[in-house]
Amino acid sequence: MKLAYWMYAGPAHIGTLRVASSFKNVHAIMHAPLGDDYFNVMRSMLERDRDFTPVTASTVDRHVLARGSQEKVVENITRKGKEERPDLIVLTPTCTSSILQEDLQNFVRGASITSDSDVILADVNHYRVDELQAADGTLEQVVRYYLNKARGQGTLGRSLANIPSANIIGTSTLGFHNQHDCRELERLLRDIGIRIHQIIPEGGFVGNLHNLPKAWFNLVPYREVGLMTAVYLDEEFGMPCVSTTPAGIVDTAECIRQMQECVGKWAPVLLEEEVDYEPYIDRQTRFVSQAAWFSRSIDCQNLTGKRAVIFGDATHATAMTKILSREMGIRVCCAGTYCKHDAEWFNEQVRGFCDKVLVTDDHTEVGDMIGREEPSAIFGTQMERHVGKRLDIPCGVISSPVHIQNFPLGYRPFLGYEGTNQIADLVYNSYTLGMEDHLLDIFGGHDTERAATEPSPVEQDPLIWSPESQLGLSQIPRFVRGKIQGKTEKFARQNGITNITLEVMYAAREILGT
């Protein structure tokens, strides 16, 4: 573990709470000290949710340390069971409370005796996995628990539905544009005659999980959450899984073709007909997705050969790399992800679409890479947006970690055919704004206030740069060199300095933030 002011993926208990709070009528008990209970505030603020977050903190304090926490935890589980009457209560510790090495599984067994709700302990190693891995594991644990329970009670649904149907697995609270993506996937499936069987965990009921196997196949739009559940359902019930993320023209078509393959296995038997989704793909590509037209337009051709850096979770970084490289002709000089546990898959997917690959969860390493590459635009997380702002490089946000900007009130999916339009807009606006700034630098811009207040170059005394300061200036990336030179000279003139040394450069940097 290490202390950092920025993390791409949060601690494990955040992933567990994301899944638990996504289900309807599920309550989470977080066994944690004060300071670890920020999830409620984060979720309420970012998602603008009108309902209270169904998470209760069972606080670890000095009294707990003195006599143990079993009585308090059991009491909180029993009390919430009576007050909220949830279908399920999930107990999870945090990294901090895990240090106590308490037998929480025994606490759960004791609480199950007195509670009318199902009670489980999140089976997560808080020292070995991060938020995304914990969310994936917790969802699989909940699904496995209820399917095993249904098997024991004889209520497990095994017969296929009469019409083509699919489970969408992995959309959750605090996911990057997950709610909008889910709406777009629902529309896409409805258009090709596939009924939505269940969507989990977001908006799902654990009481309905016993019917999951009735769907014809499972759709997992994000690798980070849902893949473990789909693998379990495939191994246990033989349910096929479509895990190609429908982002961009090419992969959206590929995802639909994979769904056609799943439906095509049963349609001749149960529906007595063949299915063909190619006309739908052609119609959507030509008339609905403006991105297909945009890729052939003069605007997109002007972006050909431009350089970009991409960084994010494995799903979105991979999708964006392929879209820029093969659909827009933009050169991806480096593609990276912070999902170190999925490094092998990521390397395999982006190979051939980028010059370099970076797998790291250290934001300083990412920032240094961007400084070396000097791209025309960045497509990354909120952290890369800050890096781009510092280096004066435009950045489009394509991946979590999430910010309130990633929960727009308008409709902005990143998946499906409408998602292709949103991505095209994001790419175009990022590059054109960058080019406008470049043109303003060349021609002097339209800063009339600066022109009116600053003396003309003829009226200003020339400044002398020492050899050391010239060498230091030459080592600064060229896309910010002129900006830093101008600020340094402005600082020197304001302070009556005519000879610019390294010390003057450092002083200007401290005061003006160059």
Side-chain angles (χ1 to χ4, degrees):
M1 298 176 64
K2 60 183 179 180
L3 187 64
Y5 71 87
W6 175 269
M7 293 184 297
Y8 286 108
H13 73 275
I14 296 297
T16 294
L17 296 178
R18 280 180 56 187
V19 169
S21 61
S22 294
F23 279 111
K24 296 293 186 184
N25 205 33
V26 172
H27 200 89
I29 303 289
M30 178 173 46
H31 184 51
L34 290 174
D36 282 356
D37 57 348
Y38 56 87
F39 178 81
N40 289 354
V41 176
M42 181 171 66
R43 182 175 182 268
S44 300
M45 178 186 70
L46 294 178
E47 293 208 329
R48 305 181 180 97
D49 202 337
R50 301 180 185 182
D51 300 322
F52 286 106
T53 304
V55 175
T56 298
S58 180
T59 308
V60 176
D61 53 23
R62 60 189 180 91
H63 300 293
V64 167
L65 295 176
R67 64 174 182 263
S69 56
Q70 177 170 1
E71 181 181 337
K72 186 172 186 177
V73 171
V74 172
E75 179 186 346
N76 282 326
I77 293 176
T78 304
R79 178 172 56 86
K80 280 299 171 182
K82 293 179 179 178
E83 292 177 354
E84 307 290 340
R85 303 189 68 81
D87 297 322
L88 171 67
I89 296 177
V90 179
L91 174 65
T92 179
T94 64
C95 291
T96 313
S97 61
S98 294
I99 297 174
L100 300 177
Q101 295 292 306
E102 295 179 290
D103 188 1
L104 296 181
Q105 187 62 61
N106 188 42
F107 299 177
V108 166
R109 281 193 291 266
S112 299
I113 298 174
T114 58
S115 176
D116 294 331
S117 306
D118 293 321
V119 185
I120 65 173
L121 171 66
D123 185 16
V124 171
N125 188 322
H126 291 263
Y127 297 112
R128 293 185 178 273
V129 301
D130 60 22
E131 170 189 348
L132 300 178
Q133 293 168 284
D136 200 15
T138 300
L139 179 58
E140 190 263 353
Q141 180 187 359
V142 172
V143 170
R144 183 187 294 267
Y145 175 86
Y146 277 96
L147 290 180
N148 287 337
K149 180 180 178 181
R151 182 184 284 113
Q153 296 175 344
T155 58
L156 184 62
R158 296 296 299 270
S159 58
L160 289 181
N162 295 327
I163 60 174
S165 59
N167 299 315
I168 298 178
I169 302 176
T171 60
S172 69
T173 185
L174 294 180
F176 184 80
H177 290 246
N178 274 197
Q179 294 181 355
H180 299 174
D181 286 346
C182 191
R183 285 171 54 190
E184 183 64 16
L185 292 178
E186 288 183 77
R187 184 195 65 78
L188 189 154
L189 291 172
R190 185 174 60 249
D191 286 350
I192 58 179
I194 298 177
R195 182 172 63 86
I196 303 296
H197 186 60
Q198 291 190 43
I199 300 174
I200 59 170
E202 183 66 19
F205 287 91
V206 293
N208 295 333
L209 293 179
H210 67 281
N211 284 323
L212 277 176
K214 288 186 174 183
W216 289 28
F217 66 94
N218 295 313
L219 174 60
V220 182
Y222 316 108
R223 288 186 61 82
E224 288 70 33
V225 182
L227 201 56
M228 286 181 65
T229 303
V231 170
Y232 163 71
L233 291 172
D234 184 20
E235 294 174 349
E236 193 74 13
F237 305 99
M239 298 184 68
C241 168
V242 175
S243 59
T244 297
T245 301
I249 293 295
V250 177
D251 277 353
T252 299
E254 176 59 25
C255 179
I256 295 174
R257 292 186 180 107
Q258 290 180 12
M259 289 191 285
Q260 175 179 311
E261 184 178 346
C262 294
V263 173
K265 291 180 180 180
W266 294 105
V269 177
L270 299 179
L271 304 179
E272 298 182 353
E273 63 181 28
E274 300 286 343
V275 292
D276 182 13
Y277 298 152
E278 288 299 331
Y280 175 79
I281 294 174
D282 178 68
R283 185 169 62 254
Q284 294 288 315
T285 302
R286 288 197 296 157
F287 302 116
V288 175
S289 173
Q290 297 299 311
W293 161 83
F294 175 74
S295 64
R296 300 189 299 272
S297 70
I298 187 65
D299 287 327
C300 191
Q301 291 176 18
N302 286 335
L303 301 180
T304 302
K306 293 290 182 182
R307 302 170 73 251
V309 163
I310 297 174
F311 194 85
D313 63 35
T315 295
H316 290 91
T318 298
M320 201 67 184
T321 299
K322 292 180 178 179
I323 291 170
L324 292 189
S325 178
R326 69 185 175 192
E327 297 183 20
M328 294 187 173
I330 295 171
R331 178 184 171 189
V332 180
C333 50
C334 185
T337 182
Y338 55 81
C339 297
K340 297 170 68 175
H341 63 280
D342 218 4
E344 183 178 351
W345 178 87
F346 182 78
N347 275 279
E348 179 184 337
Q349 291 295 310
V350 301
R351 188 181 299 123
F353 295 105
C354 61
D355 298 340
K356 300 176 184 177
V357 177
L358 177 64
V359 179
T360 181
D361 56 3
D362 185 346
H363 63 88
T364 59
E365 190 175 349
V366 179
D368 292 341
M369 176 271 293
I370 294 173
R372 290 192 304 270
E373 295 295 335
E374 302 181 12
S376 303
I378 308 167
F379 298 95
T381 73
Q382 288 292 335
M383 188 61 199
E384 283 66 57
R385 187 175 69 88
H386 289 298
V387 172
K389 195 171 184 179
R390 187 174 72 246
L391 298 178
D392 200 23
I393 305 175
C395 178
V397 178
I398 61 161
S399 166
S400 58
V402 289
H403 183 274
I404 196 167
Q405 292 176 334
N406 306 131
F407 293 93
L409 298 177
Y411 185 49
R412 287 196 59 197
F414 269 57
L415 303 185
Y417 287 106
E418 178 57 31
T420 63
N421 297 332
Q422 297 293 336
I423 292 174
D425 280 340
L426 179 69
V427 173
Y428 179 69
N429 292 337
S430 297
Y431 275 105
T432 54
L433 290 177
M435 288 191 288
E436 287 171 3
D437 289 340
H438 178 61
L439 292 174
L440 290 175
D441 288 341
I442 292 176
F443 296 109
H446 308 287
D447 194 344
T448 55
E449 180 180 352
R450 176 179 174 182
T453 57
E454 289 190 2
S456 66
V458 177
E459 298 171 349
Q460 294 178 339
D461 296 328
L463 298 176
I464 301 173
W465 287 71
S466 69
E468 294 80 7
S469 62
Q470 290 179 359
L471 178 61
L473 187 65
S474 67
Q475 294 174 344
I476 297 172
R478 63 175 180 271
F479 57 90
V480 293
R481 191 180 302 158
K483 181 178 180 181
I484 291 177
Q485 180 179 355
K487 286 191 173 183
T488 303
E489 292 181 349
K490 178 181 179 181
F491 169 80
R493 288 193 172 94
Q494 288 176 345
N495 291 274
I497 299 172
T498 57
N499 295 317
I500 298 179
T501 63
L502 280 176
E503 290 73 16
V504 174
M505 288 184 66
Y506 294 148
R509 178 180 178 180
E510 290 293 328
I511 295 175
L512 300 179
T514 60

